[in-house]
Amino acid sequence: MSEYYNEAENMTYTPEEWAVMMQEEFDDRGRDWSRQFYLSYNIIVVAFFAAAVVAHFYTVQFKKTIRRATNEKTPLIPTNNGAPRPVSMVAKVLRKTTSVLIYQPPGRYAESYGTMLIIAGYLGLNILYTFVHGGASSTQIFGNRVGLVSIVNMPILFLLGSKTGLLVEWTGWSHEGYIILHKHVGRVVCITAIAHVFAYCAVIPISTRVKVNNEAIVGLIATTCFGIILGTSLAPLRARLYELFLYFHVWFLVLPLPFLFFHWQRTKPYVITCAVIFAWDRFTRFKNVHHVVGVSKNLSGDTVKLCMNPKTTFSEIHWTTGQYVYISITNLAKFQYHPFTIASPPGADTLDLIIRARKGFSRTLFNTEGEHLVNVHGPYGNQHSFDGVRKVVLIAGGAGVSYTYPEAIEIVRSFEAIGDIAPEIDFLWVVPDRSFASWADLDNEKYGVNFKLWVTKEQGRPNIREYVRDSLRKAVEDYGGDKNIALAAAVCGPATIVRETRNACSDLLWEEYNVDFHAESFGW
């Protein structure tokens, strides 16, 4: 067929004219979808966070209800009389599903299957929005589309970068969970912004765009900032030059905001949202600042214990186990705030932090043992509930004892405060050298905790996975083989120890044991 006839227009076109017309129509559909992009994407994002909040509150309440109902049918004193209660079909499905979701395969960059599922869904959503409805029909539309992807994700990036907002309490996510999502959102924002510039450069030479208007200039400045953030966030550079990374990461993320505000009309609501989130986060931090006197004492293993008096401030600091604070010591490092888990139980005379001396601030603190004026922001984070649990296994690796040690003491103390029998607690602390034992008072009789110190230099590497499984299985045997009794395992330490503890709980959940897993860790 040499010609194309359009009945609606009563016109005949050559194949070349028809191809051009079809391409223009296709491009128009792509532009129309770009206009609808904002609303639909924002609805999905808001729905995700709303679901996370609902799931958190439901899970907390569900666990309390189930544990209470379960334990009412189980005597406080273990007994082997009578047959164990059968596991319901609903419980079986929930436990096996949870088993798969929390399992973490080996690999330096591997996360749990549940986390990787969320990340894959997020990346898949952004890929879909980039190419659907003609996103790749032309270079210009592709450039426009990736620009949209970058700007709509910026409020999410700022929200996940804020550790002090209400979302922290409402979702129940850990500091590490925020960091994992923050990294992936940040990569999407930076890479799509750079792709946006390259796509438009391919369509129209940058020299021409600069002469035509100033949108290109402010856009290039903003994208340069994103490129610097992306480059300095690479793991090798971040590990070697952490302080430099920290400065660049914060200020080169804020610097593009005024340039993006004038880059394009539709970016303004998103830029304003980012600015409000950032301002609220900083306001919350400085509102919760405490100026306290702290004394640093060097411990074995290139470690510092910083003990601060929570009463040497206008408002006394109160905290719960598992919470963390941001600290700054101006005479050692200005304008630097580092997060650390509180290593002393609630109500203690001193608020203690255990800090491994690596590079930068922590090494400087190690080299300046003595008294310091410390700016403390916080505390932040949530306390993990062990309400109704009959057996708890706590695993610590090195400085990870900063979370597990006060948690063990607080669990026993909280149950005694209400006149209830505390759960049996097995506490395993893995350290490279026996001198590390001086960090904490491991008195079994004093605290009612089964403390066990594992020294790798003397005993080799422990089989954490086997230890956790055997400890929790024994608890079930002591209760007559009842798999419905509530068990829990919590861990803080190196990635390997966290993964082995996580996978031990995954194994037990697959075997239909009622196990709750919790991890505390900080990473960048």
Side-chain angles (χ1 to χ4, degrees), residues 299-412:
L299 305 175
S300 55
D302 276 355
T303 303
V304 182
K305 186 174 185 179
L306 181 62
C307 302
M308 296 168 286
N309 189 339
K311 299 180 181 179
T312 56
T313 181
F314 290 110
S315 58
E316 186 175 344
I317 306 175
H318 300 278
W319 67 93
T320 59
T321 54
Q323 289 193 302
Y324 58 91
V325 293
Y326 286 86
I327 68 165
S328 170
I329 302 179
T330 305
N331 65 317
L332 300 183
K334 294 183 179 180
F335 309 116
Q336 291 186 16
Y337 297 92
H338 299 260
F340 298 100
T341 300
I342 299 174
S344 48
D349 294 332
T350 59
L351 190 158
D352 301 337
L353 305 177
I354 295 178
I355 304 169
R356 291 296 302 272
R358 301 185 185 277
K359 297 180 180 179
F361 167 77
S362 58
R363 178 57 61 180
T364 304
L365 179 62
F366 183 82
N367 294 333
T368 53
E369 186 176 11
E371 188 173 284
H372 307 277
L373 181 61
V374 186
N375 301 318
V376 180
H377 293 263
Y380 304 110
N382 300 290
Q383 179 180 16
H384 187 74
S385 175
F386 292 94
D387 179 42
V389 174
R390 293 295 172 80
K391 177 65 175 283
V392 181
V393 177
L394 297 172
I395 308 293
V401 73
S402 61
Y403 162 68
T404 52
Y405 183 71
E407 187 70 90
I409 297 174
E410 180 61 16
I411 291 173
V412 175

Side-chain angles (χ1 to χ4, degrees), residues 146-166:
V146 291
L148 293 177
V149 170
S150 181
I151 196 65
V152 298
N153 279 289
M154 281 194 65
I156 307 173
L157 179 64
F158 275 76
L159 192 62
L160 293 173
S162 168
K163 312 302 188 303
T164 61
L166 290 175

